[in-house]
Amino acid sequence: MTSQTRTGPPRFGSERAMLRAFLDYHRATLAMKCEGLTDEELRQRSMPPSTLSLLGLVRHMAEVERAWFRRVFEDNGAPMVWSEDTDFQAAYDASASTRSEAFAAWDAEVAASRRIEREARSLDQSGYQPRWSEEVSLRMVMVHVLLEYGRHNGHADLLREGVDGTVGA
């Protein structure tokens, strides 16, 4: 990780601006953890029997972005990226995946999520979460996805250290 391509979140701002900035910061963190690695290194698993890898995390976060933005606010029946039955674990198996494939899907879902958020009237806008069969607010979705990134970026820290010894943000 030779470049610092992340912009830190602002110290002050509206609730929406802060949520948006922290999401983008965490998205950039995941990308940074994958910088400079080959497809093989990105597929390196944490430990048996886990299928967890950096590439698997990118694939999983594409599913998370889709499940929480696109499926909630645009198309409740939109298929998941790597699973026909909404199995988030399926994305972790990146054994046949490539950086190009995983990042193309993730980039597309992040772009859709950003568009959906920008077009929303307010953080109180509601959408329908089909997995829960209930309404949720954009605020709740943004906080939930932010927590997903925080959790999985912790995994990414350990995975990257296991690949080549690189530590830190």
Side-chain angles (χ1 to χ4, degrees):
M1 293 180 306
T2 57
S3 67
Q4 285 282 358
T5 55
R6 296 178 306 166
T7 300
R11 304 297 190 259
F12 298 93
S14 70
E15 178 184 15
R16 191 168 188 168
M18 294 296 267
L19 287 171
R20 182 184 292 152
F22 270 92
L23 265 173
D24 282 340
Y25 179 79
H26 275 281
R27 289 167 175 148
T29 299
L30 181 57
M32 199 172 80
K33 289 294 175 181
C34 297
E35 271 183 9
L37 297 178
T38 66
D39 284 1
E40 182 179 332
E41 290 170 324
L42 288 169
R43 286 190 296 264
Q44 186 173 315
R45 294 178 175 188
S46 58
M47 67 183 68
S50 176
T51 59
L52 187 63
S53 67
L54 285 165
L55 207 53
L57 286 177
V58 172
R59 288 166 47 103
H60 174 72
M61 291 312 297
E63 295 283 38
V64 167
E65 295 270 1
R66 180 174 285 200
W68 285 98
F69 284 96
R70 190 184 304 242
R71 286 176 49 99
V72 168
F73 295 105
E74 285 189 340
D75 180 1
N76 298 144
M80 297 302 286
V81 183
W82 287 282
S83 168
E84 293 182 20
D85 59 351
T86 318
D87 175 9
F88 284 87
Q89 298 302 310
Y92 286 127
D93 184 2
S95 57
S97 186
T98 64
R99 171 192 295 273
S100 176
E101 176 238 10
F103 273 85
W106 182 53
D107 289 343
E109 293 308 319
V110 167
S113 297
R114 285 178 176 143
R115 177 187 47 77
I116 289 165
E117 183 273 321
R118 276 191 320 270
E119 293 173 356
R121 297 176 314 282
S122 78
L123 292 174
D124 293 322
Q125 181 167 325
S126 68
Y128 180 77
Q129 175 44 276
R131 290 180 61 220
W132 295 355
S133 300
E134 62 184 64
E135 296 286 317
V136 295
S137 70
L138 176 60
R139 176 183 292 104
M140 183 270 162
V141 166
M142 291 180 77
V143 169
H144 180 85
V145 174
L146 181 58
L147 291 172
E148 284 275 340
Y149 273 103
R151 175 177 173 227
H152 293 307
N153 279 340
H155 297 139
D157 284 338
L158 296 171
L159 287 163
R160 180 61 191 253
E161 185 176 4
V163 169
D164 67 359
T166 301
V167 297

